[in-house]
Amino acid sequence: MLISCGDALIDFVPTKNVDGREAVMPAVGGSCLNVAIGIARLGAPTGFVGGISTDLFGRMIADHAAASNVQLSLATRSDYQTTLAFVRIVAGESHYAFYDAETATRNWTFRRGTIPFGAVEAVHVGSTTLVNDQGAAETMALIADAKASSTISFDPNCRPNLVKDKPAYLARMAEFAAGADLIKMSDVDFAYLFDEEPYQQRARALLRQGTSLVVITRGNDGAIAWHAKAGQIEVEAPKIEVADTIGAGDSFQAALLFALHKQGRLARQQLKDIGTDELRRALSFAANCAGLTCTRPGADPPWSREISWSW
């Protein structure tokens, strides 16, 4: 099984009403839930760990996850309200306004001994859950239990408008990166975390500290990855008609984890030993899945019937 741990929320995505005026439409989202849904839709057994409300929106989230074959037995249901995020597209980038005080995601706690990590191939973490102290601490406790047997995947998926103390946040992201086997971030996240540092310089530093794979996604410019054995690899983004970019990075992450799982290269030692051709195929598949997600509104990653894994 693969597990994604973190945020589950409702995105209010931009649309137009019948008069052509701006409107919003509710859609299930949350970076880590999106990753779980993306993996499950491609066909790998997947579970979600995190807080889900029992309110109206929480029921929407649970129904959506179940319909995508995500197992929710490890999630924590509570009567805290659901996190809401309002989205606007500015210059092709998604900008968010979050309403996240006293929510089910914020009040999630890791229940030690409830997850059979010996049967969990990989654990993915990241995004808004790591901004607040409690969410970060609970996630770190989960990683401490998982790391002996499970590959750790990390995407910071930064939300600067939620960060109150940037130096503390940067230190926290460095701590999560130090414990990760696979790190993926967007070029926008990279700029927020590392300013104008060259990609390669930071990637090599991360590899030296023990990370096996570092990937940076660059929108229309595709993705670039570094691996200690396979070297540096670039893949192109597909040529598409973009509806919006919501969930594209999550779809990439999900597809990359799925592809590595499908190749038998997701377990820690197997990831260390992956070859250049295998890694290129996995990255290309991830880029194509992300591209397909961008052709439709909201976080709507592809199903296996829509995009074939042919290797």
Side-chain angles (χ1 to χ4, degrees):
M1 175 184 282
L2 285 69
I3 284 177
S4 186
C5 171
D7 51 341
L9 51 81
I10 296 293
D11 284 322
F12 285 84
V13 299
T15 185
K16 300 285 186 180
N17 66 15
V18 293
D19 298 323
R21 299 172 62 187
E22 286 190 12
V24 291
M25 175 181 66
V28 174
S31 177
C32 293
L33 181 67
N34 292 340
V35 170
I37 286 172
I39 299 169
R41 286 185 177 185
L42 291 171
T46 310
F48 174 76
V49 176
I52 300 177
S53 178
T54 55
D55 67 10
L56 169 67
F57 291 128
R59 293 194 295 274
M60 283 177 59
I61 290 169
D63 290 346
H64 182 70
S68 295
N69 301 318
V70 175
Q71 299 179 34
L72 295 180
S73 59
L74 301 176
T76 303
R77 302 300 298 272
S78 72
D79 59 4
Y80 290 103
Q81 66 185 6
T82 298
T83 300
L84 306 180
F86 290 79
V87 188
R88 291 202 77 192
I89 309 299
V90 180
E93 289 287 337
S94 300
H95 293 252
Y96 294 83
F98 289 93
Y99 294 81
D100 191 33
E102 293 300 313
T103 60
T105 293
R106 278 262 185 144
N107 286 278
W108 167 76
T109 57
F110 171 52
R111 297 172 291 172
R112 300 197 66 175
T114 61
I115 301 176
F117 287 114
V120 175
E121 191 174 14
V123 174
H124 173 72
V125 301
S127 197
T128 60
T129 303
L130 308 185
V131 174
N132 67 84
D133 293 342
Q134 178 178 328
E138 297 294 337
T139 306
M140 192 60 77
L142 180 145
I143 290 173
D145 277 11
K147 193 166 177 62
S149 55
S150 305
T151 296
I152 306 301
S153 163
F154 171 52
D155 177 4
N157 197 18
C158 306
R159 294 290 179 252
N161 58 323
L162 292 179
V163 175
K164 306 303 182 185
D165 182 345
K166 186 174 180 180
Y169 177 76
L170 295 180
R172 180 177 291 165
M173 293 303 98
E175 185 178 5
F176 276 100
D181 301 291
L182 187 162
I183 300 172
K184 191 277 291 181
M185 69 187 91
S186 70
D187 51 358
V188 175
D189 289 339
F190 188 96
Y192 181 71
L193 295 172
F194 306 114
D195 295 320
E196 296 181 0
E197 181 177 358
Y199 292 153
Q200 186 177 71
Q201 180 175 304
R202 175 55 53 174
R204 287 176 173 173
L206 292 169
L207 293 178
R208 284 195 299 270
Q209 76 179 16
T211 300
S212 292
L213 177 61
V214 178
V215 183
I216 297 173
T217 57
R218 303 172 298 169
N220 291 333
D221 294 325
I224 183 167
W226 292 264
H227 185 274
K229 180 179 178 180
Q232 180 177 320
I233 298 172
E234 293 190 49
V235 297
E236 295 182 350
K239 306 301 181 185
I240 57 166
E241 192 72 31
V242 176
D244 66 45
T245 60
I246 298 169
D250 303 328
S251 183
F252 185 102
Q253 185 83 34
L256 177 59
L257 292 171
F258 172 81
L260 294 170
H261 161 77
K262 198 72 173 175
Q263 292 173 313
R265 291 296 189 182
L266 187 51
R268 181 169 293 120
Q269 189 57 51
Q270 282 67 36
L271 181 59
K272 288 180 180 293
D273 293 337
I274 194 170
T276 302
D277 290 342
E278 291 174 300
L279 184 53
R280 187 182 304 279
R281 288 195 294 269
L283 291 165
S284 294
F285 179 75
N288 286 330
C289 285
L292 182 53
T293 302
C294 289
T295 64
R296 47 207 190 193
D300 189 8
W303 294 80
S304 58
R305 61 180 178 267
E306 297 178 286
I307 187 162
S308 63
W309 172 259
S310 57
W311 298 291

